[in-house]
Amino acid sequence: MTESDVKKPLPNGPQEGVNYPISVLYCGNCSLPVEYCEYHPEYEKCKVWLEKNLPEEFEKLVKLSGDGGDEDATEEKKRQKRGGKGIVKARKKEEVPKQVCVSRAPRGKKKSVTVVTGLSSFDIDLKVASKFFGTRFACGSSVTGDDEIVIQGDVKDDLFDVIPEKWPEIDEDFIEDLGDLKR
Ligand SMILES: [Zn+2]
């Protein structure tokens, strides 16, 4: 290999008689390579020329430059749908929100009972819980529904300390005070 071979400059631009794998297409309107048409002030005229003479290129370029507005809208819809489905899935995971509700209900003219609901959402055995409340508050306590315990006495405020103490997984924040119920 001689020095002159190394220094020989690379051919510049399309060479005659060479078959290039990528042919550059020139616009008949602005004479620029077609991918530069969109920067030309007469792009609209270019598009007309391209559509007529190079329909395939026209389609490619118009799509690239975002003129295919409908396409984008469809993509956006798809994304929204996917996002929506994701949210529904996440909600399904916790069908029953973990929440204990306590409220006071009148019992007779002067006395009140305390209603506790939602212990089941923490997988707590209601019978065990009812017995615990009865012992703890030295009063009657019974399971009165699917997920409801009625304690014979006004112990609502005490429950905010007693429940987290007995079941550490139930933070005070998980206990909702529903106030006074009217029966
Ligand atoms: Zn052009």
Side-chain angles (χ1 to χ4, degrees):
M1 202 187 262
T2 63
E3 211 176 302
S4 65
D5 279 337
V6 178
K7 282 187 175 170
K8 200 178 172 186
L10 287 166
N12 201 6
Q15 301 297 294
E16 245 181 282
V18 178
N19 225 346
Y20 287 92
I22 301 161
S23 59
V24 179
L25 296 165
Y26 294 93
C27 173
N29 179 63
C30 67
S31 79
L32 290 170
V34 291
E35 60 261 43
Y36 294 111
C37 279
E38 63 173 304
Y39 305 110
H40 195 270
E42 292 185 332
Y43 180 41
E44 290 306 313
K45 278 190 190 174
C46 292
K47 280 203 274 190
V48 174
W49 185 90
L50 285 169
E51 192 172 17
K52 208 172 169 186
N53 299 278
L54 297 165
E56 274 181 35
E57 288 303 307
F58 171 75
E59 209 161 290
K60 260 194 260 170
L61 289 168
V62 168
K63 272 186 185 169
L64 279 177
S65 64
D67 278 16
D70 289 344
E71 206 100 338
D72 286 50
T74 313
E75 261 308 298
E76 188 58 35
K77 265 184 196 168
K78 274 183 196 164
R79 256 195 301 277
Q80 279 173 357
K81 253 189 186 172
R82 279 198 289 272
K85 272 179 189 167
I87 288 162
V88 170
K89 251 185 188 176
R91 274 187 193 150
K92 245 188 178 176
K93 251 183 188 175
E94 25 183 338
E95 262 173 15
V96 184
K98 288 199 167 187
Q99 173 108 67
V100 174
C101 295
V102 296
S103 54
R104 189 165 33 216
R107 171 197 176 199
K109 277 185 179 173
K110 286 176 184 172
K111 288 181 177 177
S112 306
V113 297
T114 305
V115 182
V116 184
T117 60
L119 287 169
S120 288
S121 68
F122 289 90
D123 292 325
I124 288 163
D125 188 315
L126 291 188
K127 280 182 193 167
V128 172
S130 173
K131 201 174 178 190
F132 163 76
F133 290 135
T135 308
R136 180 66 188 245
F137 299 116
C139 62
S141 175
S142 52
V143 179
T144 53
D146 262 355
D147 193 1
E148 187 184 80
I149 293 170
V150 171
I151 304 163
Q152 303 297 314
D154 180 5
V155 296
K156 182 165 69 73
D157 295 337
D158 296 321
L159 288 173
F160 288 89
D161 297 321
V162 169
I163 290 175
E165 188 187 306
K166 169 74 175 171
W167 298 282
E169 70 267 35
I170 308 177
D171 190 86
E172 201 182 317
D173 293 339
F174 286 124
I175 307 171
E176 171 97 13
D177 189 346
L178 296 180
D180 290 292
L181 293 184
K182 283 171 190 168
R183 283 204 166 174

